[in-house]
Amino acid sequence: MYGWRAKIGLITPMSENAEHAFHIYAPEGVSFASMKIQFPGPTPEGLAILTDQLEEAAKMYAKKRHDVVLFGCTSGSCIKGYGFDKECIQRIERASGWPGLTTSTAVLEAFQALGLSKTVVMTPYPDETNEAEKKFLEDNGLEVTSITGVGFNKVGEFSHPSKYFLYRKAKQLKTEGAEVFFLSCMGLATMELVEILEEDLGMPVITSHQANLWACLRHSRVNDKLPGLGKLFTI
């Protein structure tokens, strides 16, 4: 029987990256269902449209037990500022009847678990979205030493960089003063990069996919320490 340890519901933009990563890396007995919502793009206006679909998607999980229902979008769950991730959780829980979680909440919990607060951030977002995410992180007690957007060219065009591209861009960043490297966005394939970047940057790495999987498992009381996914999964 699938999901005998935990059943997790995903609400994500139109991409297969989350499901692919979770099914590969999740421990035995953990299953994932998925609902897709339309993604107009990572601008503040597009992300507002994305979150307007949250309740309707969460309702689809109401009839069967789920340990957690995750809104898997980093910028979408923080775009409206401090406390917006908690508002999204409340909306999920009212609509589905099950515990809710967001990527932004998972990322904050990852920083807390590591006991570190100074971070360099890399994203594929435009400047407006980066500023909103930076403010959200700082309003939640983190210090953002720098935030850099890569892979976004113009409104309506959202690129999905290769692992090579992301790795090279990460190596170019100035990390002085930072304790953690945070690679933001559920639209990027990042799980294979976590351990490599930790080794080469010399600091813990948090990515949106990795933090989501870790937080979903911990909220479901699945405490496996998974190899190859960085310091976070040793806690």
Side-chain angles (χ1 to χ4, degrees):
M1 179 177 127
Y2 298 110
W4 54 272
R5 294 179 75 188
K7 292 181 182 291
I8 296 167
L10 307 177
I11 301 171
T12 63
M14 303 298 288
S15 166
E16 73 285 353
N17 287 340
E19 293 88 338
H20 180 72
F22 290 176
H23 283 298
I24 289 175
Y25 290 99
E28 183 180 356
V30 179
S31 69
F32 298 89
S34 181
M35 288 292 301
K36 296 298 182 185
I37 51 181
Q38 291 296 323
F39 181 46
T43 62
E45 297 79 13
L47 293 166
I49 294 171
L50 184 75
T51 56
D52 286 344
Q53 306 167 68
L54 197 53
E55 284 94 342
E56 197 62 33
K59 285 179 185 176
M60 302 301 291
Y61 291 116
K63 293 184 179 180
K64 291 187 178 180
R65 179 186 68 80
H66 288 82
D67 295 277
V68 177
V69 176
L70 168 72
F71 176 32
C73 182
T74 319
S75 53
S77 56
C78 73
I79 193 63
K80 295 184 180 180
Y82 179 83
F84 185 60
D85 60 321
K86 301 297 192 298
E87 178 186 325
C88 289
I89 288 173
Q90 292 171 356
R91 290 161 60 184
I92 290 168
E93 292 179 345
R94 283 197 301 265
S96 71
W98 305 111
L101 187 64
T102 79
T103 304
S104 292
T105 315
V107 167
L108 294 176
E109 290 178 357
F111 277 103
Q112 184 176 20
L114 290 170
L116 302 171
S117 61
K118 297 179 181 179
T119 184
V120 56
V121 183
M122 191 170 87
T123 85
Y125 312 140
D127 290 344
E128 282 183 290
T129 303
N130 281 333
E131 284 303 310
E133 181 161 307
K134 180 176 185 288
K135 187 174 189 309
F136 175 86
L137 294 172
E138 291 180 336
D139 287 348
N140 278 280
L142 302 178
E143 180 182 336
V144 178
T145 60
S146 70
I147 185 166
T148 302
V150 296
F152 185 89
N153 300 310
K154 58 184 179 181
V155 175
E157 182 177 328
F158 188 61
S159 62
H160 297 278
S162 67
K163 290 190 287 290
Y164 171 80
F165 177 87
L166 293 172
Y167 174 82
R168 298 307 306 177
K169 287 294 185 181
K171 290 285 292 290
Q172 292 169 12
L173 296 179
K174 294 181 179 179
T175 58
E176 292 84 355
E179 302 168 316
V180 180
F181 173 71
F182 172 38
L183 180 50
S184 177
C185 189
M186 287 293 285
L188 305 178
T190 62
M191 295 294 247
E192 296 86 355
L193 286 171
V194 174
E195 196 166 52
I196 295 169
L197 284 173
E198 284 201 345
E199 186 70 27
D200 292 354
L201 296 179
M203 64 178 63
V205 168
I206 295 172
T207 79
S208 295
H209 278 149
Q210 169 225 34
N212 270 333
L213 179 58
W214 173 82
C216 283
L217 294 178
R218 297 306 183 258
H219 280 255
S220 303
R221 299 176 68 185
V222 175
N223 295 312
D224 294 45
K225 293 176 170 58
L226 303 180
L229 294 180
K231 185 175 180 180
L232 182 62
F233 266 100
T234 68
I235 298 172

